């Protein structure tokens, strides 16, 4: 077999091996087969000595050109496979920089806190002072100074959490009326948001712990008209709409006259549901003119001063505002509930 043919067969074989090579290893194997020290073309170079000078020159040139061709093609094939491998890696290892980061979840204010702050802002803008009072109270501030006689049902063991030392968990925020008057004296416009506690059976509309917001204005010649003005301002600011209200006479020893301001239930629109106990109305705003006895207990002369007071059920208000039909959710600590606010 003549050398030209052998060389061109080797050339063709390696070209087809390169064509089929799908890995860098296969390319390398083809290179070694043709160009390695013991490769096929190298073997042929070793037989040169036996050739006539002309033939040697011609075959030498042929071999060189085949070697150069193969080297160039091997390099090109290697480059192609390397870039395909890189593409495949980039394809499989990408990171979506536009994906939202899981990150820490920012907390949010409790719905009752949100409503409380809104009302505080409203009253502060009308010149009211925000006061605080103790949650553990004395009988004096929670009852006596508020003109609640010893035999009043509110003092019943059923309703009050008594401490062993005779003090109690305040059953309402009204003690802050007395504390506020004692400390600041008239004229006084104050609100006092805070927790209150009652020892009663828990159900969708009753909790042992709930939030109230007490309000009081004491000045010269304060009338029911002032009371109604502030209550209307309060309600329209809270609900951002007209709510249906009704005023009933209500008895609280610390106001005279006393009223119950009810709003039509916003959960069922007055049709009747567990929150309004099927009545269609929710007691929201007990209020009245401060009983002279309370002023006297607070060291204020009722001949000179009078005022109005109200006790807003903050927790109940948050229920109406957000359409929550079970008061127990507020203290549940359930994040599925709290994250909605
Ligand atoms: N303190 C009363 C209660 O908790 C509410 C109230 C406050 C009533 C102020 C009249 C005036 O039931």
């Amino acid at each position: 077999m003549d050398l030209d043919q052998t060389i061109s067969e080797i050339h063709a074989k390696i070209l087809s091996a390169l064509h089929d090579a799908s890995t860098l290893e296969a390319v390398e194997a083809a290179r070694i087969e043709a160009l390695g020290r013991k490769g096929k073309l190298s073997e042929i170079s070793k037989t040169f000595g036996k050739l006539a000078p002309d033939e040697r020159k011609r075959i030498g040139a042929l071999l060189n050109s085949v070697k150069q061709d193969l080297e160039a093609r091997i390099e090109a094939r290697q480059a192609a496979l390397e870039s395909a491998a890189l593409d495949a890696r980039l394809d499989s290892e990408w990171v979506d920089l536009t994906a939202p980061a899981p990150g820490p979840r920012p907390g949010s204010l409790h719905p009752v806190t949100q409503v409380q702050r809104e009302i505080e802002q409203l009253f502060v803008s009308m010149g009211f002072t925000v006061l605080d009072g103790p949650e553990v109270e004395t009988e004096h501030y929670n009852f006596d100074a508020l003109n609640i006689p010893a035999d009043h049902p509110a003092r019943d063991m059923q309703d009050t959490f008594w401490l062993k030392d005779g003090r109690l968990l305040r059953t309402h925020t009204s003690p802050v009326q007395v504390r506020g008057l004692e400390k600041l004296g008239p004229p006084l416009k104050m609100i006092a948001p805070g927790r209150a506690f009652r020892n009663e059976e828990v159900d969708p509309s009753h909790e042992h712990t709930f939030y109230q917001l007490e309000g009081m204005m004491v000045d010269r010649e304060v009338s029911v008209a002032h009371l109604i003005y502030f209550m209307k301002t309060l309600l329209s600011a809270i609900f951002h709409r007209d709510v249906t209200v009704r005023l009933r006479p209500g008895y609280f020893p610390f106001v005279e006259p006393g009223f119950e301001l009810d709003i039509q239930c916003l959960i069922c629109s007055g049709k009747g549901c567990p929150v309004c106990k099927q009545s269609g109305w929710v007691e929201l705003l007990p209020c009245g003119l401060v009983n002279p006895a309370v002023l006297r207990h607070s060291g204020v002369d009722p001949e000179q001063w009078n005022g109005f007071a109200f006790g807003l059920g903050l927790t109940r208000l948050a229920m109406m505002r957000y359409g929550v039909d079970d008061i127990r959710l507020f203290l549940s600590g359930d994040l599925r509930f709290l994250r909605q606010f």
Side-chain angles (χ1 to χ4, degrees):
M1 192 164 50
D2 73 18
L3 268 179
D4 295 73
Q5 199 187 335
T6 310
I7 291 168
S8 80
E9 274 173 18
I10 295 170
H11 193 189
K13 187 176 174 226
I14 300 301
L15 286 181
S16 108
L18 283 176
H19 180 265
D20 294 344
S22 58
T23 63
L24 287 169
E25 289 74 23
V27 173
E28 180 62 4
R31 189 189 68 78
I32 290 169
E33 185 180 351
L35 306 171
R37 243 190 317 135
K38 289 180 181 165
K40 288 184 167 142
L41 295 178
S42 311
E43 293 299 321
I44 291 173
S45 307
K46 288 175 192 161
T47 64
F48 267 17
K50 295 166 196 160
L51 296 175
D54 275 4
E55 272 298 277
R56 192 158 57 190
K57 204 176 165 191
R58 195 178 63 76
I59 295 293
L62 177 61
L63 263 182
N64 270 340
S65 81
V66 169
K67 275 185 190 172
Q68 274 169 16
D69 180 56
L70 286 178
E71 274 162 7
R73 287 175 189 256
I74 285 165
E75 221 171 277
R77 192 80 190 111
Q78 278 172 341
L81 286 172
E82 273 163 9
S83 98
L86 182 62
D87 283 351
R89 222 180 104 190
L90 290 176
D91 247 10
S92 68
E93 292 180 4
W94 60 280
V95 171
D96 182 359
L97 295 177
T98 66
R105 245 176 211 280
S108 55
L109 292 177
H110 191 278
V112 172
T113 309
Q114 293 185 26
V115 173
Q116 176 185 323
R117 292 201 179 173
E118 223 174 277
I119 298 173
E120 282 177 13
Q121 264 179 6
L122 172 72
F123 277 100
V124 166
S125 79
M126 297 190 293
F128 284 64
T129 304
V130 182
L131 295 181
D132 222 356
E135 290 177 346
V136 174
E137 262 299 2
T138 61
E139 216 179 330
H140 171 75
Y141 283 110
N142 196 81
F143 293 127
D144 297 302
L146 289 167
N147 196 37
I148 302 175
D151 56 358
H152 191 275
R155 286 200 180 197
D156 200 307
M157 294 300 288
Q158 291 286 328
D159 293 322
T160 308
F161 287 112
W162 291 93
L163 304 189
K164 287 205 182 87
D165 64 6
R167 289 184 300 163
L168 50 90
L169 298 185
R170 67 178 178 191
T171 59
H172 49 184
T173 45
S174 298
V176 190
Q177 290 183 23
V178 180
R179 288 180 177 276
L181 275 177
E182 281 181 352
K183 195 170 168 202
L184 302 170
L188 177 63
K189 286 192 283 183
M190 54 148 275
I191 56 168
R195 283 200 295 188
F197 310 86
R198 290 207 192 150
N199 190 0
E200 62 186 347
E201 199 122 359
V202 169
D203 66 30
S205 55
H206 293 90
E207 253 294 7
H208 48 71
T209 303
F210 53 96
Y211 286 78
Q212 286 189 330
L213 186 138
E214 195 77 13
M216 183 174 70
M217 171 176 171
V218 173
D219 208 319
R220 314 252 183 215
E221 294 177 40
V222 175
S223 70
V224 174
H226 291 106
L227 170 63
I228 290 172
Y229 167 78
F230 280 102
M231 297 306 94
K232 277 191 170 166
T233 306
L234 170 61
L235 290 170
S236 65
I238 292 167
F239 293 108
H240 307 297
R241 58 176 148 151
D242 280 339
V243 291
T244 311
V245 301
R246 71 178 184 191
L247 209 57
R248 290 178 288 128
Y251 172 69
F252 301 93
F254 36 96
V255 285
E256 178 57 37
F259 307 104
E260 283 285 5
L261 193 152
D262 303 338
I263 66 165
Q264 197 172 68
C265 182
L266 295 175
I267 302 225
C268 63
S269 304
K271 287 188 203 74
C273 70
V275 170
C276 59
K277 292 197 211 108
Q278 310 305 330
S279 73
W281 295 91
V282 177
E283 277 182 32
L284 195 61
L285 207 53
C287 52
L289 296 187
V290 181
N291 192 310
V294 175
L295 295 175
R296 237 177 275 117
H297 276 295
S298 311
V300 174
D301 179 1
E303 302 297 325
Q304 305 283 326
W305 306 93
N306 70 334
F308 69 74
F310 63 90
L312 178 65
L314 262 190
T315 305
R316 193 156 293 179
L317 181 68
M319 292 175 79
M320 292 290 115
R321 170 74 167 271
Y322 298 112
V324 177
D325 62 4
D326 191 332
I327 194 172
R328 294 169 292 192
L329 284 166
F330 289 102
L331 289 182
S332 68
D334 189 333
L335 291 177
R336 291 169 303 177
F337 170 68
L338 294 172
R339 277 184 183 140
Q340 299 174 66
F341 300 95

